[in-house]
Amino acid sequence: MAAEHLDVVVVGAGLSGIGAAYRLQTEHPGRSYAILEAREALGGTWDLFRYPGIRSDSDMFTLGYPFEPWRDPKSIADGPSILRYITETARQYGIDERIRYGTKVIGAEWSSEDARWTLTLEQGGERRTLTCGFLYCCAGYYNYDEGHTPEFPGADSFAGQLVYPQFWPENLDYAGKRVVVIGSGATAVTLVPAMAEQAELVTMLQRSPTWISPVPGRDKYADRIRELLPPKLAHRVIRTKNILFNVGFYQYCRRRPEAARKLLTGLSTRILKDEKLVAEHFTPSYNPWDQRLCAVPDADFFKAMKKGAAEVVTDHIDSFVPEGIRLASGRVLEADIVVSATGLKLLAFGGISLTVDGAPVDLSDQFVWQGAMLTGVPNFAVCIGYTNASWTLRADLTSRLVCKVLAHMDRRGYRAVVPRPEGHLDERPLLDLASGYIQRSIGDFPRQGDRHPWRVRQNYLLDSATTMRTNLDKTLKPVDRTRALQEV
Ligand SMILES: Cc1cc2nc3c(=O)[nH]c(=O)nc-3n(C[C@H](O)[C@H](O)[C@H](O)COP(=O)(O)OP(=O)(O)OC[C@H]3O[C@@H](n4cnc5c(N)ncnc54)[C@H](O)[C@@H]3O)c2cc1C
């Protein structure tokens, strides 16, 4: 029996996959499509992570979709509210009916002869195939099966419980207990105030400080705009306001790092009222936005410290001991529970192994065009968000670009297209953040080039002005019965 064929397959039913489906069915209602989702639920990140206090650190007017107003009072939202928003959006537009759950894409083979992908799927322990004309990978950027778990010396000797945010034990009781959270990223600064509400003491153990910026959890200007304008218009106005503010603040940090350092340390000092504490634990050696900035809504992290429910220790782990963690300084942090908030394990394109005309694709040999399509891989796009702004800003632009590419193929009568640069490109890593979790695996990802449209710009204003105006004839070349990979 011939395998089922679809015009477009979207991989992943997270925030990006649902947004992609909306764009596809709105702009190409005649095309058949399905979303293939490995898990038994939609929402991706916002369904997987269940640790106390789980929340966004971007505002939801920009992390949410441009086409669906964010109606919740909070601007920085908790995980369950975000999951509800994604679920309701999927239901409202009939996208939920297009999702095939428990369907993991493990391989994708492109044939230039047939101008189609043959996907190998894993469903309930069985393998089957499906073919499609265009493959759009909205599979996020990290491994769902394992996080980054450094080996801690002596961890086996620890008498308490060692837990991981990505696999939070249901009903973990931490009331009245001593908790140590290892890490200093967004997850750690979220967990600390949330657990401090019930724990005896929560200690955040960091190797080195991270830039932390207090932000209002509720946006009073947004509230006022929502009172005055109808929901869709209000959403657009607040979204624009937040985009301008965020781009402006990012540019300020990059262009005036000394002033930005002073501003951030000033904000922390005003709340903590302790210059020495801020100098020791909240003043990194790198500049703001060399790594992702951690936003803390309503300064909850600092407030927990002021109340004495939380503390920060900057030191190195020597080893675990039965009663807790021995530090390089010799101090022992006693703990009943240790949370290893040491980060994600990056994974390119949902771990799907790609082959083009029989040859395996080495992603690190390929360049990304418009942050979306790859050299050497026809009829394929990937959805990657910004690192310095809300993910959805870029994700939605990419979905609109994919729709534009499909319309272009219709107009020109092309069965397959692949982006091809004019002249030599100097290569750079796909993401230029210095964060450890990115540096650890960025070599497995494709490269960006040294100039537009081969650069992955972290600038929504520039991208939104140019992406949809791009001249597709210039870069997107038709592929017909040729060996696409060798043509690059
Ligand atoms: C704790 C946490 C907080 C975050 N907070 C923010 C924030 O405040 N702002 C921000 O901009 N970003 C944030 N991010 C980044 C966040 O992941 C993105 O904002 C967004 O949720 C990504 O959506 P996505 O749909 O692209 O990917 P995901 O949410 O990762 O969803 C990917 C989906 O694809 C499925 N999938 C993967 N591989 C396959 C496969 N081979 N076959 C089938 N299905 C597959 C997965 O099961 C999953 O459902 C955060 C990330 C984490 C982990």
Side-chain angles (χ1 to χ4, degrees):
M1 199 174 71
E4 181 190 7
H5 180 77
L6 294 165
D7 293 328
V8 183
V9 160
V10 175
V11 183
L15 190 59
S16 305
I18 303 301
Y22 172 85
R23 290 297 182 196
L24 266 175
Q25 63 183 35
T26 309
E27 296 184 30
H28 292 277
R31 277 191 156 85
S32 58
Y33 86 90
I35 304 180
L36 307 184
E37 170 52 56
R39 304 175 70 236
E40 294 297 340
L42 61 73
T45 298
W46 304 105
D47 182 68
L48 176 76
F49 281 86
R50 302 287 174 118
Y51 58 77
I54 167 80
R55 66 183 179 210
S56 66
D57 61 2
S58 310
D59 73 273
M60 285 307 299
F61 299 99
T62 54
L63 188 59
Y65 304 113
F67 54 84
E68 188 55 32
W70 173 253
R71 295 166 199 268
D72 204 87
K74 277 176 281 175
S75 167
I76 304 280
D78 56 87
S81 304
I82 301 173
L83 181 58
R84 210 173 313 122
Y85 170 79
I86 302 173
T87 308
E88 279 167 13
T89 304
R91 193 173 308 135
Q92 185 179 339
Y93 296 101
I95 296 165
D96 53 349
E97 291 161 23
R98 305 298 196 101
I99 305 172
R100 302 188 188 174
Y101 293 103
T103 305
K104 184 171 190 171
V105 183
I106 53 173
E109 291 170 27
W110 169 260
S111 157
S112 296
E113 179 75 32
D114 304 323
R116 61 176 54 182
W117 287 98
T118 300
L119 307 182
T120 304
L121 315 179
E122 208 170 67
Q123 273 177 332
E126 296 196 353
R127 295 217 166 163
R128 52 172 290 240
T129 55
L130 184 150
T131 62
C132 65
F134 198 100
L135 183 60
Y136 185 19
C137 187
C138 298
Y141 60 103
Y142 62 87
N143 192 325
Y144 270 66
D145 301 327
E146 45 183 310
H148 170 63
T149 49
E151 294 266 317
F152 298 117
D156 289 347
S157 69
F158 178 48
Q161 201 173 352
L162 179 59
V163 300
Y164 300 92
Q166 193 166 333
F167 307 98
W168 197 259
E170 220 178 316
N171 307 322
L172 178 74
D173 180 14
Y174 51 90
K177 299 202 170 150
R178 292 158 307 174
V179 179
V180 173
V181 178
I182 304 172
S184 59
T187 302
V189 301
T190 301
L191 271 166
V192 169
M195 296 186 83
E197 283 175 19
Q198 290 180 35
E200 182 189 317
L201 176 69
V202 183
T203 304
M204 184 169 99
L205 171 58
Q206 58 179 14
R207 250 192 325 212
S208 55
T210 297
W211 286 112
I212 294 179
S213 171
V215 294
R218 197 165 166 154
D219 176 345
K220 60 177 194 272
Y221 299 106
D223 287 350
R224 188 80 189 108
I225 294 166
R226 286 196 282 191
E227 273 166 26
L228 294 173
L229 299 177
K232 285 212 165 171
L233 182 57
H235 187 67
R236 203 177 316 154
V237 172
I238 303 165
R239 193 175 160 87
T240 308
K241 164 184 93 58
N242 291 0
I243 289 168
L244 292 175
F245 177 82
N246 291 333
V247 170
F249 184 64
Y250 176 80
Q251 291 299 335
Y252 172 75
C253 290
R254 301 314 287 162
R255 284 159 201 244
R256 303 196 51 204
E258 277 312 316
R261 295 176 73 92
K262 230 166 148 178
L263 175 76
L264 291 172
T265 46
L267 283 173
S268 317
T269 311
R270 203 173 311 153
I271 303 163
L272 289 170
K273 304 205 180 337
D274 188 337
E275 273 185 34
K276 199 166 150 275
L277 187 76
V278 171
E280 191 176 348
H281 301 300
F282 300 111
T283 310
S285 53
Y286 66 86
N287 286 326
W289 277 117
D290 281 351
Q291 300 187 17
R292 206 179 155 106
L293 195 78
C294 275
V296 290
D298 301 321
D300 58 0
F301 178 86
F302 294 134
K303 286 178 185 162
M305 283 184 72
K306 272 188 86 176
K307 270 202 310 206
E311 62 168 1
V312 177
V313 171
T314 305
D315 205 331
H316 283 64
I317 296 176
D318 173 71
S319 65
F320 273 61
V321 289
E323 63 276 26
I325 298 175
R326 185 185 302 122
L327 303 174
S329 62
R331 180 178 167 191
V332 172
L333 289 178
E334 292 188 0
D336 304 301
I337 297 173
V338 172
V339 183
S340 174
T342 43
L344 302 163
K345 189 167 177 182
L346 295 197
L347 182 67
F349 309 168
I352 303 170
S353 75
L354 297 172
T355 55
V356 169
D357 295 325
V361 178
D362 184 345
L363 288 177
S364 63
D365 285 347
Q366 309 305 327
F367 282 94
V368 180
W369 170 73
Q370 296 280 2
M373 289 180 75
L374 301 188
T375 52
V377 190
N379 289 16
F380 177 84
V382 57
C383 191
I384 312 167
Y386 289 114
T387 52
N388 68 346
S390 283
W391 178 275
T392 313
L393 293 176
R394 179 190 265 291
D396 187 58
L397 258 186
T398 301
S399 295
R400 288 169 55 209
L401 178 69
V402 166
C403 289
K404 182 180 159 95
V405 168
L406 293 172
H408 173 77
M409 291 168 70
D410 288 347
R411 246 189 335 268
R412 295 275 183 271
Y414 296 155
R415 298 196 311 158
V417 287
V418 70
R420 202 165 296 147
E422 281 172 345
H424 172 79
L425 290 174
D426 278 338
E427 63 174 58
R428 300 175 178 197
L430 185 61
L431 303 173
D432 52 11
L433 276 185
S435 311
Y437 76 102
I438 291 181
Q439 291 305 317
R440 274 193 294 275
S441 350
I442 197 65
D444 302 338
F445 282 73
R447 310 289 142 135
Q448 60 172 311
D450 53 343
R451 57 185 185 271
H452 181 70
W454 300 92
R455 281 218 62 183
V456 178
R457 297 185 297 207
Q458 297 291 333
N459 187 325
Y460 177 70
L461 291 184
L462 280 181
D463 285 343
S464 64
T466 58
T467 303
M468 295 307 287
R469 294 210 179 96
T470 189
N471 178 352
L472 298 182
D473 281 320
K474 215 170 151 203
T475 321
L476 275 191
K477 303 299 174 195
V479 179
D480 262 319
R481 294 166 208 282
T482 50
R483 294 177 68 83
L485 197 61
Q486 290 178 5
E487 282 179 10
V488 179

mmCIF file of all heavy atoms in Angstrom, residues 241-264:
data_model
loop_
_atom_site.group_PDB
_atom_site.id
_atom_site.type_symbol
_atom_site.label_atom_id
_atom_site.label_comp_id
_atom_site.label_asym_id
_atom_site.label_seq_id
_atom_site.Cartn_x
_atom_site.Cartn_y
_atom_site.Cartn_z
ATOM 1 N N LYS A 241 4.528 48.350 21.432
ATOM 2 C CA LYS A 241 5.204 49.064 22.531
ATOM 3 C C LYS A 241 6.300 48.187 23.128
ATOM 4 O O LYS A 241 7.442 48.625 23.310
ATOM 5 C CB LYS A 241 4.158 49.422 23.605
ATOM 6 C CG LYS A 241 4.743 49.804 24.951
ATOM 7 C CD LYS A 241 3.663 50.060 25.984
ATOM 8 C CE LYS A 241 3.264 48.885 26.862
ATOM 9 N NZ LYS A 241 4.261 48.238 27.655
ATOM 10 N N ASN A 242 5.983 46.935 23.387
ATOM 11 C CA ASN A 242 6.956 46.038 24.036
ATOM 12 C C ASN A 242 8.125 45.690 23.110
ATOM 13 O O ASN A 242 9.267 45.584 23.559
ATOM 14 C CB ASN A 242 6.266 44.759 24.521
ATOM 15 C CG ASN A 242 5.329 45.044 25.688
ATOM 16 O OD1 ASN A 242 5.203 46.193 26.113
ATOM 17 N ND2 ASN A 242 4.671 44.033 26.206
ATOM 18 N N ILE A 243 7.817 45.521 21.826
ATOM 19 C CA ILE A 243 8.900 45.237 20.867
ATOM 20 C C ILE A 243 9.886 46.404 20.864
ATOM 21 O O ILE A 243 11.100 46.228 20.966
ATOM 22 C CB ILE A 243 8.329 45.006 19.447
ATOM 23 C CG1 ILE A 243 7.595 43.667 19.384
ATOM 24 C CG2 ILE A 243 9.433 45.064 18.394
ATOM 25 C CD1 ILE A 243 6.747 43.461 18.146
ATOM 26 N N LEU A 244 9.343 47.634 20.772
ATOM 27 C CA LEU A 244 10.221 48.811 20.706
ATOM 28 C C LEU A 244 11.048 48.930 21.981
ATOM 29 O O LEU A 244 12.249 49.172 21.952
ATOM 30 C CB LEU A 244 9.397 50.082 20.478
ATOM 31 C CG LEU A 244 8.732 50.164 19.098
ATOM 32 C CD1 LEU A 244 7.850 51.391 18.997
ATOM 33 C CD2 LEU A 244 9.795 50.176 17.989
ATOM 34 N N PHE A 245 10.394 48.691 23.119
ATOM 35 C CA PHE A 245 11.118 48.806 24.390
ATOM 36 C C PHE A 245 12.231 47.752 24.457
ATOM 37 O O PHE A 245 13.383 48.057 24.786
ATOM 38 C CB PHE A 245 10.168 48.647 25.585
ATOM 39 C CG PHE A 245 10.915 48.696 26.891
ATOM 40 C CD1 PHE A 245 11.255 49.916 27.465
ATOM 41 C CD2 PHE A 245 11.327 47.520 27.520
ATOM 42 C CE1 PHE A 245 11.991 49.959 28.650
ATOM 43 C CE2 PHE A 245 12.060 47.555 28.693
ATOM 44 C CZ PHE A 245 12.384 48.786 29.267
ATOM 45 N N ASN A 246 11.893 46.515 24.111
ATOM 46 C CA ASN A 246 12.881 45.432 24.237
ATOM 47 C C ASN A 246 14.056 45.597 23.273
ATOM 48 O O ASN A 246 15.204 45.390 23.653
ATOM 49 C CB ASN A 246 12.221 44.064 24.019
ATOM 50 C CG ASN A 246 11.272 43.734 25.165
ATOM 51 O OD1 ASN A 246 11.458 44.206 26.275
ATOM 52 N ND2 ASN A 246 10.232 42.962 24.884
ATOM 53 N N VAL A 247 13.745 45.988 22.023
ATOM 54 C CA VAL A 247 14.833 46.203 21.057
ATOM 55 C C VAL A 247 15.703 47.363 21.550
ATOM 56 O O VAL A 247 16.933 47.303 21.540
ATOM 57 C CB VAL A 247 14.280 46.488 19.639
ATOM 58 C CG1 VAL A 247 15.392 46.947 18.702
ATOM 59 C CG2 VAL A 247 13.612 45.239 19.070
ATOM 60 N N GLY A 248 15.053 48.417 22.032
ATOM 61 C CA GLY A 248 15.785 49.587 22.533
ATOM 62 C C GLY A 248 16.683 49.213 23.698
ATOM 63 O O GLY A 248 17.861 49.589 23.747
ATOM 64 N N PHE A 249 16.170 48.429 24.629
ATOM 65 C CA PHE A 249 16.959 48.058 25.811
ATOM 66 C C PHE A 249 18.132 47.159 25.417
ATOM 67 O O PHE A 249 19.254 47.323 25.897
ATOM 68 C CB PHE A 249 16.072 47.372 26.860
ATOM 69 C CG PHE A 249 16.826 47.055 28.120
ATOM 70 C CD1 PHE A 249 17.345 48.082 28.914
ATOM 71 C CD2 PHE A 249 17.054 45.743 28.513
ATOM 72 C CE1 PHE A 249 18.069 47.797 30.070
ATOM 73 C CE2 PHE A 249 17.776 45.449 29.661
ATOM 74 C CZ PHE A 249 18.287 46.486 30.442
ATOM 75 N N TYR A 250 17.879 46.224 24.497
ATOM 76 C CA TYR A 250 18.954 45.327 24.044
ATOM 77 C C TYR A 250 20.069 46.150 23.380
ATOM 78 O O TYR A 250 21.249 45.981 23.676
ATOM 79 C CB TYR A 250 18.388 44.283 23.068
ATOM 80 C CG TYR A 250 19.446 43.391 22.480
ATOM 81 C CD1 TYR A 250 19.959 42.315 23.202
ATOM 82 C CD2 TYR A 250 19.963 43.631 21.200
ATOM 83 C CE1 TYR A 250 20.953 41.497 22.666
ATOM 84 C CE2 TYR A 250 20.955 42.824 20.659
ATOM 85 C CZ TYR A 250 21.444 41.766 21.398
ATOM 86 O OH TYR A 250 22.429 40.966 20.870
ATOM 87 N N GLN A 251 19.670 47.071 22.497
ATOM 88 C CA GLN A 251 20.670 47.886 21.794
ATOM 89 C C GLN A 251 21.459 48.745 22.787
ATOM 90 O O GLN A 251 22.668 48.924 22.647
ATOM 91 C CB GLN A 251 19.993 48.776 20.734
ATOM 92 C CG GLN A 251 19.416 48.001 19.561
ATOM 93 C CD GLN A 251 20.486 47.220 18.790
ATOM 94 O OE1 GLN A 251 21.662 47.563 18.800
ATOM 95 N NE2 GLN A 251 20.092 46.129 18.148
ATOM 96 N N TYR A 252 20.765 49.261 23.789
ATOM 97 C CA TYR A 252 21.415 50.066 24.829
ATOM 98 C C TYR A 252 22.488 49.225 25.533
ATOM 99 O O TYR A 252 23.619 49.664 25.726
ATOM 100 C CB TYR A 252 20.339 50.537 25.813
ATOM 101 C CG TYR A 252 20.868 51.227 27.044
ATOM 102 C CD1 TYR A 252 21.362 52.537 26.977
ATOM 103 C CD2 TYR A 252 20.854 50.585 28.282
ATOM 104 C CE1 TYR A 252 21.846 53.168 28.115
ATOM 105 C CE2 TYR A 252 21.326 51.208 29.420
ATOM 106 C CZ TYR A 252 21.827 52.502 29.331
ATOM 107 O OH TYR A 252 22.306 53.115 30.451
ATOM 108 N N CYS A 253 22.119 47.983 25.894
ATOM 109 C CA CYS A 253 23.073 47.098 26.584
ATOM 110 C C CYS A 253 24.282 46.808 25.705
ATOM 111 O O CYS A 253 25.416 46.772 26.191
ATOM 112 C CB CYS A 253 22.412 45.766 26.964
ATOM 113 S SG CYS A 253 21.200 45.927 28.265
ATOM 114 N N ARG A 254 24.056 46.579 24.395
ATOM 115 C CA ARG A 254 25.165 46.221 23.519
ATOM 116 C C ARG A 254 26.058 47.409 23.210
ATOM 117 O O ARG A 254 27.259 47.290 23.091
ATOM 118 C CB ARG A 254 24.646 45.641 22.179
ATOM 119 C CG ARG A 254 23.790 44.410 22.300
ATOM 120 C CD ARG A 254 24.343 43.374 23.217
ATOM 121 N NE ARG A 254 25.493 42.652 22.671
ATOM 122 C CZ ARG A 254 26.351 41.952 23.398
ATOM 123 N NH1 ARG A 254 26.215 41.904 24.698
ATOM 124 N NH2 ARG A 254 27.355 41.328 22.841
ATOM 125 N N ARG A 255 25.430 48.600 23.069
ATOM 126 C CA ARG A 255 26.225 49.764 22.675
ATOM 127 C C ARG A 255 26.848 50.477 23.853
ATOM 128 O O ARG A 255 27.862 51.140 23.730
ATOM 129 C CB ARG A 255 25.342 50.758 21.906
ATOM 130 C CG ARG A 255 25.082 50.272 20.504
ATOM 131 C CD ARG A 255 23.853 50.939 19.922
ATOM 132 N NE ARG A 255 23.362 50.131 18.827
ATOM 133 C CZ ARG A 255 23.330 50.538 17.576
ATOM 134 N NH1 ARG A 255 23.710 51.729 17.265
ATOM 135 N NH2 ARG A 255 22.877 49.727 16.639
ATOM 136 N N ARG A 256 26.203 50.405 25.015
ATOM 137 C CA ARG A 256 26.728 51.113 26.194
ATOM 138 C C ARG A 256 26.811 50.128 27.370
ATOM 139 O O ARG A 256 26.079 50.257 28.369
ATOM 140 C CB ARG A 256 25.815 52.292 26.518
ATOM 141 C CG ARG A 256 25.674 53.248 25.318
ATOM 142 C CD ARG A 256 25.127 54.579 25.698
ATOM 143 N NE ARG A 256 25.848 55.161 26.823
ATOM 144 C CZ ARG A 256 25.332 56.069 27.656
ATOM 145 N NH1 ARG A 256 24.107 56.503 27.459
ATOM 146 N NH2 ARG A 256 26.025 56.538 28.673
ATOM 147 N N PRO A 257 27.705 49.132 27.242
ATOM 148 C CA PRO A 257 27.752 48.080 28.277
ATOM 149 C C PRO A 257 28.040 48.613 29.679
ATOM 150 O O PRO A 257 27.459 48.124 30.645
ATOM 151 C CB PRO A 257 28.867 47.143 27.801
ATOM 152 C CG PRO A 257 29.579 47.850 26.713
ATOM 153 C CD PRO A 257 28.666 48.889 26.155
ATOM 154 N N GLU A 258 28.903 49.633 29.771
ATOM 155 C CA GLU A 258 29.229 50.144 31.109
ATOM 156 C C GLU A 258 28.000 50.759 31.765
ATOM 157 O O GLU A 258 27.713 50.543 32.949
ATOM 158 C CB GLU A 258 30.371 51.177 31.032
ATOM 159 C CG GLU A 258 31.761 50.552 31.004
ATOM 160 C CD GLU A 258 31.963 49.482 32.083
ATOM 161 O OE1 GLU A 258 31.552 49.718 33.232
ATOM 162 O OE2 GLU A 258 32.505 48.399 31.759
ATOM 163 N N ALA A 259 27.259 51.547 30.968
ATOM 164 C CA ALA A 259 26.048 52.192 31.495
ATOM 165 C C ALA A 259 25.008 51.126 31.866
ATOM 166 O O ALA A 259 24.326 51.227 32.900
ATOM 167 C CB ALA A 259 25.486 53.152 30.467
ATOM 168 N N ALA A 260 24.922 50.072 31.041
ATOM 169 C CA ALA A 260 23.942 49.008 31.316
ATOM 170 C C ALA A 260 24.315 48.264 32.597
ATOM 171 O O ALA A 260 23.446 47.906 33.410
ATOM 172 C CB ALA A 260 23.872 48.048 30.137
ATOM 173 N N ARG A 261 25.608 48.044 32.806
ATOM 174 C CA ARG A 261 26.064 47.373 34.037
ATOM 175 C C ARG A 261 25.658 48.196 35.246
ATOM 176 O O ARG A 261 25.145 47.679 36.230
ATOM 177 C CB ARG A 261 27.594 47.216 34.041
ATOM 178 C CG ARG A 261 28.148 46.306 32.977
ATOM 179 C CD ARG A 261 29.675 46.302 33.006
ATOM 180 N NE ARG A 261 30.150 45.551 34.162
ATOM 181 C CZ ARG A 261 30.440 44.250 34.145
ATOM 182 N NH1 ARG A 261 30.314 43.583 33.026
ATOM 183 N NH2 ARG A 261 30.832 43.628 35.220
ATOM 184 N N LYS A 262 25.874 49.489 35.110
ATOM 185 C CA LYS A 262 25.570 50.391 36.231
ATOM 186 C C LYS A 262 24.059 50.396 36.521
ATOM 187 O O LYS A 262 23.636 50.351 37.675
ATOM 188 C CB LYS A 262 26.001 51.815 35.861
ATOM 189 C CG LYS A 262 26.853 52.480 36.916
ATOM 190 C CD LYS A 262 27.473 53.680 36.304
ATOM 191 C CE LYS A 262 27.649 54.756 37.341
ATOM 192 N NZ LYS A 262 28.293 55.912 36.767
ATOM 193 N N LEU A 263 23.292 50.417 35.428
ATOM 194 C CA LEU A 263 21.828 50.441 35.586
ATOM 195 C C LEU A 263 21.351 49.176 36.317
ATOM 196 O O LEU A 263 20.572 49.245 37.280
ATOM 197 C CB LEU A 263 21.161 50.530 34.209
ATOM 198 C CG LEU A 263 19.648 50.444 34.203
ATOM 199 C CD1 LEU A 263 19.033 51.759 34.663
ATOM 200 C CD2 LEU A 263 19.110 50.095 32.818
ATOM 201 N N LEU A 264 21.846 48.003 35.872
ATOM 202 C CA LEU A 264 21.370 46.740 36.454
ATOM 203 C C LEU A 264 21.854 46.568 37.902
ATOM 204 O O LEU A 264 21.083 46.139 38.760
ATOM 205 C CB LEU A 264 21.810 45.552 35.587
ATOM 206 C CG LEU A 264 21.113 45.462 34.227
ATOM 207 C CD1 LEU A 264 21.741 44.387 33.360
ATOM 208 C CD2 LEU A 264 19.615 45.187 34.392
#
